[in-house]
Amino acid sequence: MMHVRTSARTGYVRFVVRRLVLAPLILLGVSFTVFVVVDLSPNDPARAVLGLFADAEQRARFAAEHGLNDPLPVRFARFVGDVAQFRLGESVVRPESVNELIGLAFPITVQLMLLATLIAVTSALILGITAAQMEGRWPDRVIGTAAAIFQAAPQFWVGLMFIQLFAVTWGWLPSGGYAPPESGFTYWFSSMIGPAVVLALPFAAAMTRVIRASVADELAKDYVRTALGAGVPGHVVLIRNVLRNALVTPITVLGVYVGLLMSGAILVETVFNLPGMGTLLVTGVQQGDLGVVRGVAIVGAAAFVLINLVVDLLYLLLNPRSAEVAGR
Amino acid sequence: MTVTTGSGTPWSVPADAATAPLLAVRELCVRFPRRYGDVAVLDRVDLTIDAGEVVAVVGESGCGKSLLGLAAADLLPRSAAVTGTVAFDGQDVRAMSRRERRQMRGAGIGVVYQDALTSLNPGMSAGAQLRQVCKLGSSSSPEELLASVGLEDTERIMRARPYQLSGGQRQRVLIAIALARDPQLVIADEPTTALDVTIQKHVVELLRSLQRSRNFALMFISHDLALVSELATRTAVMYAGQLVESGPTRDILARPRHPYTAGLLESSRSLDECWPTLASIPGSVRQPADFLAGCRFRDRCGNATERCAHRPVLEVDGTAGERYLACFHPVGTET
């Protein structure tokens, strides 16, 4: 009965193809939203470029030259055409193009998010599994309480407290700024660890709770008793038999939290003065640099769609039954 | 026969391997303090099983049969409070070291669970689960085991996940896992209740033939007296967590002494022989929280008197010395 295997595989392929077709459509929708929202904002690019003292005639000429007076669908089509060719336009304030600006900022945000995810996932795994195994006893309660506090605490406040404590009071870490990896691992690490930890905290707290619930749920299942009753050692049962099933839910949740991590990065980069995508976006908004705002939003959305696609594929790998369902 | 003492066994029986029973349950009480407070869900249960012997434990659902099976294999949930002793091969199970306990589980006692679907890992192939257990030490390969439990097409079954197998196949895989490490005792906890009637019969026949060929002791937990009569040499009848009667199966079926056994037998016979009216025992098993003091069957028993408010002790009944009974007013005696 080979069809059991092949149906899972064709399901898998069909799912991937469908998601790959869907992704550009989602991005088109996002582009439209971003375009319209930015367009509706009271920022006037002509004023941003020409300065406060430019007169109405100069602004009108600027608008005509840059096609700002064209109807919205025309401008949107032009924008989409540019984006499709990876041309995100010019910054009206700074000499670099939006591509260049994002090229500088994007790696920093990626480093920040990767480090934060690493910290969050490792600590959540350790704490969540410990809590699940000690269900109802004091370590479980301590971990649960701490997780609830850190999940609820506002991130900008945690960030400021962190700087106050580690940079101002103890002087262990810089209070902000970015040191590129070329400047040496220690400098780079001490500039990244603070923002990464602050960014990771609510994420780690939420993941800890999800992992705890899901592992505890799984440990109570009959098949655990079957394996233990056959003499399989407890740690083997946990790692080989339980975790694989227990991590399906946390992995789907991970995809959702990456979105929160992105919005968290905007705050944390601002608090720690890291020149990443978040800072770029915030200064872009402040300076009325619409091209930059649009560029960051589009790149962020594309990254989010991509990450979720990867997460969904991971989910299918862990849970082959859903591949059959997904392919239908 | 030499009686050796101080060998670590907590009661004074000979620790001689030839005479000590394979499994000896003594005065076993199980409580769930969080859920049922001080009520003993298993109340002073005594049961022994010798090597190679087939013993049935029967009773209605909710009478603690499965719990007894799990307690014997030392697989009770953490919330259970246990007193009394369970000794396997002369050794107190709860005093074992971690390594000894792991050896006892699987290699000493194999368990066939009631619900094969939940008892198998949905995320692992049947083969992976079987291989994992075989790796701990087995005389046969996973494929041989699957073949020995009557599964053809072993290659597909090894690869399949539990949801891709039929109920009967799942139960056979579960039996293969239980037998993988060549246990001396197999505890089969109602292995057929979740199956179709036709497949039930196959599984029981399989268990019996495996028991004969591999010569393990079998503790067969069931509510089905007819099934038990085909399989077990000895039968223990449980009611509401208490062992009420035990003895040779044929003898018990022919001449039940406890009113509960008699009632159980009557209702099953009325089914088999198509009596015009279905005989039944009035009422149903109480929830553990409402268990009566004394004999727990007394509210459903026709013979009950005030005396039954005290708990009857399981004692030798008759002269042959192989029957035990816990009842003040047994069936078949004039009072």
Side-chain angles (χ1 to χ4, degrees):
Chain A
M1 253 167 59
M2 277 301 288
H3 77 264
V4 171
R5 276 171 78 85
T6 46
S7 76
R9 192 167 297 151
T10 52
Y12 204 82
V13 171
R14 254 185 241 166
F15 177 80
V16 173
V17 167
R18 198 161 57 191
R19 292 299 297 262
L20 286 177
V21 170
L22 218 58
L25 290 178
I26 294 172
L27 283 178
L28 193 69
V30 172
S31 312
F32 185 71
T33 315
V34 167
F35 189 83
V36 169
V37 167
V38 171
D39 199 70
L40 289 176
S41 78
N43 287 302
D44 179 3
R47 176 153 272 157
V49 174
L50 304 173
L52 270 177
F53 301 108
D55 58 29
E57 197 191 326
Q58 282 173 307
R59 280 189 275 139
R61 204 179 323 127
F62 178 87
E65 275 171 19
H66 289 83
L68 297 181
N69 295 331
D70 294 342
L72 189 115
V74 175
R75 282 182 290 135
F76 177 63
R78 199 155 53 212
F79 172 68
V80 170
D82 285 345
V83 168
Q85 298 170 59
F86 300 103
R87 281 203 317 253
L88 295 171
E90 299 295 317
S91 163
V92 291
V93 180
R94 297 197 237 183
E96 297 98 335
S97 71
V98 175
N99 281 37
E100 283 167 332
L101 287 171
I102 288 178
L104 288 173
F106 192 66
I108 298 176
T109 302
V110 169
Q111 289 166 34
L112 176 67
M113 286 186 52
L114 280 181
L115 197 58
T117 309
L118 186 73
I119 294 170
V121 169
T122 335
S123 51
L125 271 177
I126 295 171
L127 294 173
I129 292 171
T130 311
Q133 283 188 301
M134 305 263 186
E135 199 183 0
R137 286 186 270 166
W138 70 263
D140 179 29
R141 271 182 244 138
V142 170
I143 291 170
T145 312
I149 290 172
F150 280 111
Q151 200 179 354
Q155 207 157 23
F156 70 89
W157 179 80
V158 175
L160 291 174
M161 288 299 116
F162 191 90
I163 292 173
Q164 179 66 36
L165 206 63
F166 286 87
V168 180
T169 310
W170 293 334
W172 292 351
L173 295 172
S175 63
Y178 174 68
E182 297 88 71
S183 63
F185 178 78
T186 325
Y187 287 110
W188 171 80
F189 189 72
S190 55
S191 77
M192 291 305 285
I193 186 71
V197 166
V198 172
L199 184 57
L201 271 173
F203 184 35
M207 287 299 285
T208 300
R209 298 175 75 178
V210 175
I211 290 175
R212 190 216 93 107
S214 144
V215 172
D217 219 41
E218 212 62 30
L219 280 175
K221 289 195 174 164
D222 287 350
Y223 73 78
V224 176
R225 190 178 58 195
T226 309
L228 289 176
V232 183
H235 63 274
V236 176
V237 174
L238 178 72
I239 293 166
R240 294 270 329 264
N241 305 26
V242 171
L243 279 192
R244 201 195 158 96
N245 301 337
L247 291 187
V248 171
T249 320
I251 281 176
T252 21
V253 175
L254 192 76
V256 178
Y257 277 109
V258 167
L260 292 179
L261 206 61
M262 285 177 150
S263 58
I266 299 174
L267 265 173
V268 170
E269 282 179 7
T270 308
V271 169
F272 282 87
N273 200 19
L274 269 187
M277 296 285 276
T279 316
L280 193 61
L281 181 75
V282 171
T283 47
V285 169
Q286 282 166 350
Q287 297 172 337
D289 203 343
L290 301 189
V292 170
V293 175
R294 277 180 189 145
V296 173
I298 294 291
V299 172
F304 184 70
V305 169
L306 192 72
I307 291 168
N308 269 285
L309 181 65
V310 171
V311 166
D312 284 343
L313 292 183
L314 264 178
Y315 174 77
L316 286 193
L317 268 181
L318 282 177
N319 192 1
R321 188 169 196 175
S322 67
E324 283 172 42
V325 179
R328 265 172 219 156
Chain B
M1 189 169 75
T2 52
V3 175
T4 50
T5 50
S7 60
T9 45
W11 67 92
S12 53
V13 292
D16 195 336
T19 51
L22 186 61
L23 179 81
V25 177
R26 298 261 182 255
E27 291 276 307
L28 181 71
C29 291
V30 175
R31 293 180 170 81
F32 291 94
R34 284 224 188 123
R35 217 178 337 155
Y36 299 124
D38 199 39
V39 179
V41 182
L42 278 188
D43 188 16
R44 279 171 284 173
V45 174
D46 287 285
L47 183 74
T48 58
I49 298 178
D50 288 325
E53 190 184 21
V54 182
V55 175
V57 176
V58 292
E60 284 167 272
S61 48
C63 69
K65 315 176 294 269
S66 299
L67 210 56
L68 176 61
L70 290 181
D74 191 37
L75 286 171
L76 287 174
R78 224 186 272 157
S79 55
V82 183
T83 61
T85 55
V86 175
F88 182 75
D89 221 359
Q91 230 191 333
D92 187 352
V93 165
R94 282 186 299 138
M96 282 181 180
S97 71
R98 233 182 233 208
R99 177 175 295 190
E100 287 172 323
R101 187 173 299 132
R102 274 215 304 271
Q103 189 56 30
M104 188 268 296
R105 289 173 173 174
I109 303 179
V111 186
V112 182
Y113 302 91
Q114 193 169 349
D115 186 347
L117 182 59
T118 63
S119 295
L120 291 170
N121 190 337
M124 287 168 82
S125 68
Q129 296 179 58
L130 193 55
R131 229 176 281 129
Q132 187 180 42
V133 177
C134 283
K135 243 192 277 172
L136 302 167
S138 173
S139 63
S140 24
S141 71
E143 287 82 5
E144 287 166 2
L145 276 165
L146 287 182
S148 76
V149 295
L151 285 170
E152 292 155 22
D153 198 4
T154 52
E155 215 173 289
R156 180 186 75 84
I157 295 196
M158 287 288 283
R159 271 201 317 266
R161 291 177 192 255
Y163 69 88
Q164 294 166 329
L165 299 172
S166 73
Q169 287 171 330
R170 280 198 287 264
Q171 196 65 51
R172 284 166 196 264
V173 169
L174 204 59
I175 293 174
I177 291 176
L179 298 182
R181 299 182 63 198
D182 311 294
Q184 293 165 272
L185 169 66
V186 172
I187 297 174
D189 179 10
E190 302 217 39
T192 59
T193 32
L195 302 176
D196 293 343
V197 184
T198 44
I199 299 165
Q200 278 183 11
K201 207 160 179 203
H202 293 302
V203 169
V204 169
E205 275 163 17
L206 172 71
L207 271 175
R208 181 162 50 182
S209 75
L210 284 169
Q211 190 273 329
R212 281 190 190 141
S213 61
R214 291 175 165 248
N215 199 33
F216 50 77
L218 178 63
M219 175 170 168
F220 189 82
I221 299 169
S222 177
H223 59 265
D224 191 338
L225 273 173
L227 213 62
V228 160
S229 64
E230 294 173 29
L231 209 62
T233 46
R234 220 147 50 78
T235 295
V237 183
M238 284 192 75
Y239 183 79
Q242 297 174 334
L243 209 75
V244 294
E245 184 169 13
S246 72
T249 306
R250 209 174 295 161
D251 204 18
I252 283 194
L253 294 184
R255 201 169 50 87
R257 297 277 289 154
H258 198 282
Y260 177 62
T261 318
L264 209 57
L265 205 58
E266 197 136 297
S267 55
S268 105
R269 269 197 197 130
S270 70
L271 258 181
D272 286 351
E273 293 164 20
C274 301
W275 288 6
T277 52
L278 209 59
S280 67
I281 308 171
S284 59
V285 189
R286 286 168 176 255
Q287 285 297 301
D290 310 322
F291 279 167
L292 297 170
C295 175
R296 288 176 178 174
F297 186 60
R298 68 189 153 100
D299 60 330
R300 298 171 74 183
C301 177
N303 296 2
T305 61
E306 278 165 27
R307 222 183 135 194
C308 301
H310 302 280
R311 188 186 186 302
V313 181
L314 192 73
E315 286 172 324
V316 177
D317 177 47
T319 48
E322 32 181 24
R323 288 195 62 165
Y324 292 83
L325 179 70
C327 185
F328 296 122
H329 310 291
V331 181
T333 32
E334 303 306 314
T335 41

